[in-house]
Amino acid sequence: MLERDEAITERISGALVIELQGELDIATVLRWTTLIEAAICELPEPHLLVLDLTALEFLSAHGARGLLAAVESYRDRGIAGCLIVVPGSVPDRVVRLTKLAGQVRVFPNRLTAIAACQPVEMRWLPG
C-alpha cells in the first residue's frame, strides 16, 4: 500500500510518467523535486517527462512553482515535459491560476499527453 505522499513511476515508449499522490506544497516540494530528479537519472534517460497530478489531493502555488522549475530544468537538458490534471480539479485550478498552464503543456489524461508530445518518429499511427 502507498504512503500518503508517494509516487508511481512508469516508462512508456521513451516517456517517463510520474504519478504524484498526496500533497505538493511548501513542505513537500523539495522531496517531490528530488524524487523526480532521481527517476530522471535512471537509465535510459527519457525524452519526455509526464507529471500526472490526477491523484494529488492538494497543490499549492509554491508547489506549482516547484513543478515549473523542475520542468524548465529538464527542458534545458533536452527532456520535454507536460502535466496531466483532471479538468476542474483543485490541481487544475492552481495550475491555471499560477499561469503554469501557459508555460507547460497540460493534458486531461496520459494517452493524450504521450501521443501529443512524442517525437514524430516515435508516433504510431493506424494504417
Side-chain angles (χ1 to χ4, degrees), residues 47-87:
H47 65 270
L48 173 63
L49 172 64
V50 179
L51 297 175
D52 186 342
L53 310 182
T54 58
L56 272 184
E57 297 168 14
F58 179 76
L59 174 63
S60 73
H62 191 83
R65 285 190 297 275
L67 286 177
L68 176 59
V71 169
E72 287 178 340
S73 168
Y74 304 128
R75 191 179 295 149
D76 291 344
R77 291 165 45 184
I79 302 170
C82 64
L83 305 175
I84 300 172
V85 294
V86 175

Side-chain angles (χ1 to χ4, degrees), residues 26-45:
I26 194 166
T28 61
V29 70
L30 180 60
R31 188 170 92 54
W32 282 121
T33 55
T34 302
L35 183 143
I36 294 167
E37 177 65 28
I40 288 275
C41 289
E42 293 178 10
L43 295 177
E45 186 172 86

Side-chain angles (χ1 to χ4, degrees), residues 1 5 9-10 30 41 59 74 85 94 104 127:
M1 177 142 180
D5 293 326
T9 60
E10 179 180 9
L30 180 60
C41 289
L59 174 63
Y74 304 128
V85 294
V94 173
V104 179

